[in-house]
């Protein structure tokens, strides 16, 4: 659909939801290679091959990328301030995902908080906060975070799913207190 920012969000979400599936890394890497972001693609393909050493499509794409002639020494165009901010926010979001996958939920929340300082309307950061709060059993905080994210992006299924999980947890908590 020629929406690279949205496409990348979906790829990152897929990696977060299924971090042990080499296919997720392969498809994201293939897209990155098409965007001329070879170094990032190489890192993802290497991760896919660590997960599944015989993943032939990852091996093939990695060989193709490595066989390309080196990029020209032309200096890349200086990114604009909004794109720098988005990149920084995405870095914090990636960090939050890694921390979440390590079970470091409180640190994951803090990384998302940093992302929101840079980009206050970052719905995915609210989603990650919700997911981490869900993991900690902090249902009220999870509901609040997801509702903020849905307010920013009402068409994001992952937010709706995490909100539903938070509300279920809240209902169970309240019924246990009775």
């Amino acid at each position: 659909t020629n929406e690279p920012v949205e496409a990348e969000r979906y790829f990152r979400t897929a990696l977060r939801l299924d971090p042990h599936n080499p296919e997720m890394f392969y498809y994201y890497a293939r897209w990155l290679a098409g965007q001329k972001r070879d170094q990032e693609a190489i890192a993802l393909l290497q991760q896919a091959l660590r997960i599944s050493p015989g993943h032939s499509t990852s091996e093939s794409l990695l060989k193709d990328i490595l066989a390309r002639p080196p990029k020209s020494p032309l200096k890349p165009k200086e990114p604009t301030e909004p794109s720098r901010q988005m990149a920084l926010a995405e870095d914090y979001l990636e960090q939050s995902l890694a921390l979440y996958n390590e079970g470091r939920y409180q640190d994951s929340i803090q990384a998302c908080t940093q992302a929101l300082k840079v980009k206050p309307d970052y719905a995915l950061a609210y989603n990650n906060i919700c997911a981490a709060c869900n993991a900690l059993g902090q249902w009220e905080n999870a509901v609040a975070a997801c509702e903020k994210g849905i307010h920013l992006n009402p068409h994001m299924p992952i937010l709706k799913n995490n909100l539903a999980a938070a509300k279920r947890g809240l209902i169970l908590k309240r019924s246990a207190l009775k």
Side-chain angles (χ1 to χ4, degrees), residues 5-16:
V5 172
E6 190 70 18
E8 190 151 15
R9 272 191 208 125
Y10 284 118
F11 283 118
R12 289 174 187 246
T13 300
L15 286 179
R16 186 171 49 79

Side-chain angles (χ1 to χ4, degrees), residues 83-128:
S83 68
R84 275 192 201 124
Q85 287 180 330
M86 185 60 189
L88 181 57
E90 287 178 353
D91 288 345
Y92 281 123
L93 194 74
E94 270 188 52
Q95 182 183 22
S96 82
L97 173 59
L99 292 165
Y100 180 92
N101 287 334
E102 292 173 9
R104 296 172 54 193
Y105 306 119
Q106 203 59 48
D107 292 334
S108 176
I109 292 168
Q110 289 181 357
C112 288
T113 302
Q114 293 301 313
L116 290 167
K117 286 180 183 175
V118 176
K119 186 171 173 22
D121 62 343
Y122 202 6
L124 278 174
Y126 284 111
N127 176 70
N128 285 15

Side-chain angles (χ1 to χ4, degrees), residues 144-157:
C146 268
E147 286 178 344
K148 287 178 186 175
I150 287 172
H151 176 75
L152 293 168
N153 187 344
H155 306 291
M156 191 178 287

Side-chain angles (χ1 to χ4, degrees), residues 8 16 19 24 26 28 31 40 44 46 53 81 84 91 100-101 110-111 127 137 140 143:
E8 190 151 15
R16 186 171 49 79
M24 302 300 168
Y26 166 75
Y28 188 12
W31 180 81
E40 293 169 83
L44 288 174
Q46 290 170 335
E81 186 57 30
R84 275 192 201 124
D91 288 345
Y100 180 92
N101 287 334
Q110 289 181 357
N127 176 70
E140 294 89 353
V143 168

Side-chain angles (χ1 to χ4, degrees), residues 53-73:
H55 196 257
S56 61
T57 52
S58 292
E59 288 175 343
S60 177
L61 181 56
L62 182 59
K63 286 178 187 174
D64 290 348
I65 292 171
L66 293 174
R68 291 182 186 169
K71 288 185 178 181
S72 74

